[in-house]
Structure formats: structure tokens, C-alpha cells
Amino acid sequence: MAKTSPKASAGRTGAPPINIGIGEKDRAAIAKGLSHLLADTYTLYLTTHNFHWNVTGPMFNTLHVMFMTQYTELWAAVDPVAERIRSLGHPAPGSYAQFSKLASVPDVPTTPPKALEMVRILVKGHEAVARTARELFPVADKADDQPTADLLTQRLTVHEQTAWMLRSLLEE
Ligand SMILES: [Fe+2]
């Protein structure tokens, strides 16, 4: 067997460059937007789980159970967002330091708010995450990134529906 020079064998080992039909610049821009979405989703997840623990008052049972449904959904949602970032060839952020820099949603209040204030915070949170997802949509659409567009569509549906449900608790 003929010996190959190190130069000739270069490129034959390790992973080949990503070649899925979405350019490097577009993949970077989409991954950046998805990182914001991941940070927002994670922060809203933690806020909702915190409120599940700390809610008090006559609506305790309703809200305790409702928040559990919501944080369970949010927890399941972070994984596909992170894995889409990886599929585009970028590292997924996954630390509190990164999330606090990337999130548009404020951190969880350290003193538990009153029950209806929790609901108000969550309405704003779901709407903020919807805006983050919507802002990224034209970037994904222009780059022909259908899986990201599909993921964003699913997330928009959930956040807008949850915002409506929570908002309804506040309306007369
Ligand atoms: Fe629980």
C-alpha cells in the first residue's frame, strides 16, 4: 500500500465541513437567534417552576397545577432549540452566566410576588419569548432553513396560546 503524505491525507480524517445548503453566515445568524430563544425559554421555564413552588392564596390549586403544565412544556422545549443550534454547527449555550446575558426575559424575582402578579409576569414573559422567536423567523425563512422555521412556528403557537390563557385570568 502506497504511503500518503501528511498533506494528502489532511481532510480525510475528522468531520467534513457542514454542507447542508445553508451558508456559514446564515447558520451563524440563525444559531445566534436560537441562542436568544434558548435563554429566554430556559429563564421562563425557571420562573414558571419557581412560581409553581411559591404561589399562595385562594387560587393556589388552579395556579400550582397550571404552572406545572406550563413549566413541563417549557422544559421539553429547550432541548429541540439547543439541538437545532448544534445541527447548524454551533455550540449551544447552557450556563446561567450565558443565559443571563442572552435572555430578554428578566431573571426570576427573588421575593415571590402575589399570585396575580405572577400571572402578569408570565404573560409578559411568554409575549417576550414570542417576540424573540418572531424576530428570527424572517432570517430562517430567507436562508431556506425549514426546520428552524418549523420550530419557531411551533414555539410561537405555544407562547401566544399560553399568553392568552394567562391573560384571561387577569381580565374581568
Ligand atoms: Fe411540584
Side-chain angles (χ1 to χ4, degrees), residues 25-143:
K25 266 179 86 176
D26 284 334
R27 283 191 286 105
I30 296 163
K32 192 177 166 216
L34 286 172
S35 297
H36 287 291
L37 181 64
L38 179 60
D40 272 355
T41 308
Y42 201 99
T43 306
L44 189 60
Y45 150 74
L46 189 58
T47 307
T48 309
H49 208 153
N50 178 307
F51 290 174
H52 166 81
W53 296 326
N54 290 308
V55 68
T56 55
M59 290 177 79
F60 172 83
N61 200 49
T62 307
L63 294 181
H64 181 70
V65 172
M66 189 191 216
F67 293 162
M68 184 171 75
T69 307
Q70 293 170 357
Y71 80 66
T72 304
E73 195 285 328
L74 290 163
W75 182 245
V78 293
D79 202 53
V81 176
E83 292 183 357
R84 185 64 197 151
I85 297 171
R86 296 295 299 126
S87 301
L88 292 167
H90 288 267
S95 71
Y96 288 117
Q98 285 172 304
F99 286 158
S100 72
K101 275 189 204 143
L102 291 165
S104 70
V105 175
D107 194 8
V108 190
T110 46
T111 308
K114 297 252 187 238
L116 288 183
E117 184 54 22
M118 286 180 174
V119 175
R120 244 173 249 120
I121 290 169
L122 294 179
V123 169
K124 287 186 192 164
H126 280 278
E127 290 183 349
V129 187
R131 291 194 301 275
T132 301
R134 181 159 277 114
E135 206 178 308
L136 180 58
F137 196 91
V139 184
D141 196 35
K142 211 173 137 226

